[in-house]
Amino acid sequence: MSSHPSPDSPASTSADALLADIGGTNARFALARHDAASPLLMDSVREFAVADFPSLAHAAAHYLDNTGASAPRSGVFAVAGRVDGDEARITNHPWVISAARTGEALGLESLHLVNDFTAQSMAVSLYGPQDVVPIGSATWSPDDGDKTYAIIGAGTGLGVGGLLRRDGRYYPLQTEGGHVSFAPNTPEEIEILQQLSGEFGRVSNERLVSGMGLVNLHRALSTIAGEDPGPLKPADVTARAREGDERSLRTIDVFCAVFGAAAGDLVLTLGAWDGVFLAGGLVPKLLPALAHSGFRARFEHKGRFAPTMARIPTLAIVHPQPGLLGAAALAQQTSR
């Protein structure tokens, strides 16, 4: 748990919205100002372990008490789980969240619950060049006009979304595109699909492009080679790759190639000709590998559309709090 500021710290300044980014392990909170060019107040960000609190309302109240901030009138909470009307369930934690009850407990006049990838998508509206690292030679700079962006995020799972800019307003698209069927493009990938099909039946892109996807790929490659790798965690694969282990290095190569192919397919599906943003916890960790892998080649390898794909930027997100930034963007837009 992070250290806490005194009540006269920047976190106690007046704010228009209370923000949260809630996962299965950590809850991040912050404040937002609607009139600021960048509405997320970065010095107000705090992180807590969800296991330390019986409910989201208790965690949010603890944040407000510890920072000395008074509760704003409204809130936007992004949660890693399905949002169904007033209620949300965290996928990997027993909290069941009611927007009405949580807002009432915190004294908020309004509280909006959104899926975490809706916030990830909306964050694109506030990114500048300093918040992204291009993968490949195609460049990007934010400007006005109608835009269609794709967002694909490799982390615990594979999140997929989009962001439309129309007449100056942004519309995030929430999808379950990570569960699109995996389409192999090489003989090796066909063998990998055969191995994973025997294990899972249907194989989605998420079975390969995610934390557990690294493990699945490593296990499939080991089985093809006639070896048993034993139980592994995603961190084991990346650690072995750093040590020069050939099978782990090949696992990451295949991961990056399939990630690039999936990102390119998403462009074609959404018509996201203005760019693809790469989100998720694995992206910063694998940034050097992505830059020097087959990611970009497979992204562009779309037959008759290859010349078009070569002009589309692929941008790895390096902003430290994309979920909270997206929640701030939603709060700002809702206030208009």
Side-chain angles (χ1 to χ4, degrees), residues 115-118 120-121 150-162 173-180 204-207 209-211 259 262-263 266 270 276-283 317:
N115 176 266
D116 61 337
F117 223 77
T118 300
Q120 288 275 356
S121 298
I151 300 91
I152 183 166
T156 303
L158 181 63
V160 169
L173 304 177
Q174 180 183 333
T175 84
E176 291 296 340
H179 298 283
V180 168
S204 67
N205 281 330
E206 185 176 79
R207 294 292 192 188
V209 187
S210 63
F259 194 9
L266 182 57
L270 292 183
V276 183
F277 290 80
L278 311 179
L282 283 176
V283 169
I317 297 167

Side-chain angles (χ1 to χ4, degrees), residues 116-136:
D116 61 337
F117 223 77
T118 300
Q120 288 275 356
S121 298
M122 194 66 182
V124 170
S125 67
L126 295 177
Y127 287 145
Q130 72 281 1
D131 298 314
V132 297
V133 173
I135 304 297

Side-chain angles (χ1 to χ4, degrees), residues 322-333:
L324 289 172
L325 185 68
L330 287 164
Q332 186 180 53
Q333 180 163 280

Side-chain angles (χ1 to χ4, degrees), residues 124 140-142 147-151 161-164 270 272 274-277:
V124 170
W140 169 81
S141 61
K147 301 288 182 183
T148 302
Y149 294 119
I151 300 91
L163 186 71
L164 309 181
L270 292 183
D274 298 301
V276 183
F277 290 80

Side-chain angles (χ1 to χ4, degrees), residues 78-310:
V79 298
R82 184 170 181 268
V83 178
D84 186 5
D86 172 72
E87 190 173 275
R89 293 176 179 270
I90 306 299
T91 302
N92 295 307
H93 188 74
W95 280 357
V96 178
I97 302 164
S98 162
R101 289 195 298 271
T102 303
E104 182 179 1
L106 296 171
L108 302 175
E109 294 180 11
S110 66
L111 175 59
H112 298 283
L113 295 179
V114 299
N115 176 266
D116 61 337
F117 223 77
T118 300
Q120 288 275 356
S121 298
M122 194 66 182
V124 170
S125 67
L126 295 177
Y127 287 145
Q130 72 281 1
D131 298 314
V132 297
V133 173
I135 304 297
S137 59
T139 59
W140 169 81
S141 61
D143 55 31
D144 296 332
D146 290 353
K147 301 288 182 183
T148 302
Y149 294 119
I151 300 91
I152 183 166
T156 303
L158 181 63
V160 169
L163 186 71
L164 309 181
R165 188 182 193 274
R166 300 291 185 268
D167 299 322
R169 189 171 181 85
Y170 289 94
Y171 302 90
L173 304 177
Q174 180 183 333
T175 84
E176 291 296 340
H179 298 283
V180 168
S181 296
F182 165 55
N185 277 266
T186 67
E188 180 183 49
E189 289 176 9
I190 291 172
E191 287 191 85
I192 290 170
L193 175 59
Q194 290 173 334
Q195 291 295 327
L196 296 183
S197 293
E199 187 173 350
F200 298 111
R202 179 180 179 273
V203 179
S204 67
N205 281 330
E206 185 176 79
R207 294 292 192 188
L208 290 82
V209 187
S210 63
M212 285 309 299
L214 285 171
V215 174
N216 294 338
L217 279 170
H218 190 283
R219 185 172 60 253
L221 289 169
S222 298
T223 302
I224 291 168
E227 298 176 6
D228 180 2
L232 290 173
K233 297 179 180 179
D236 297 327
V237 179
T238 55
R240 291 183 183 186
R242 286 193 299 270
E243 295 167 358
D245 175 69
E246 290 188 11
R247 174 118 340 107
S248 298
L249 286 168
R250 185 60 194 156
T251 296
I252 290 176
D253 284 343
V254 175
F255 174 99
C256 291
V258 175
F259 194 9
D265 288 343
L266 182 57
V267 167
L268 297 177
T269 301
L270 292 183
W273 312 120
D274 298 301
V276 183
F277 290 80
L278 311 179
L282 283 176
V283 169
K285 297 175 183 176
L286 295 178
L287 196 53
L290 285 167
H292 298 96
S293 70
F295 175 92
R296 185 70 199 189
R298 288 288 293 278
F299 174 83
E300 296 180 15
H301 185 60
K302 300 300 177 187
R304 289 168 289 179
F305 277 86
T308 300
M309 300 299 289

Side-chain angles (χ1 to χ4, degrees), residues 18 29 54-65 69-75 77 86 96-111:
L18 174 63
F29 295 96
S55 71
L56 175 54
H58 283 85
H62 179 77
Y63 166 78
L64 293 170
D65 289 344
S70 56
R73 296 171 60 185
S74 65
F77 289 5
D86 172 72
V96 178
I97 302 164
S98 162
R101 289 195 298 271
T102 303
E104 182 179 1
L106 296 171
L108 302 175
E109 294 180 11
S110 66
L111 175 59

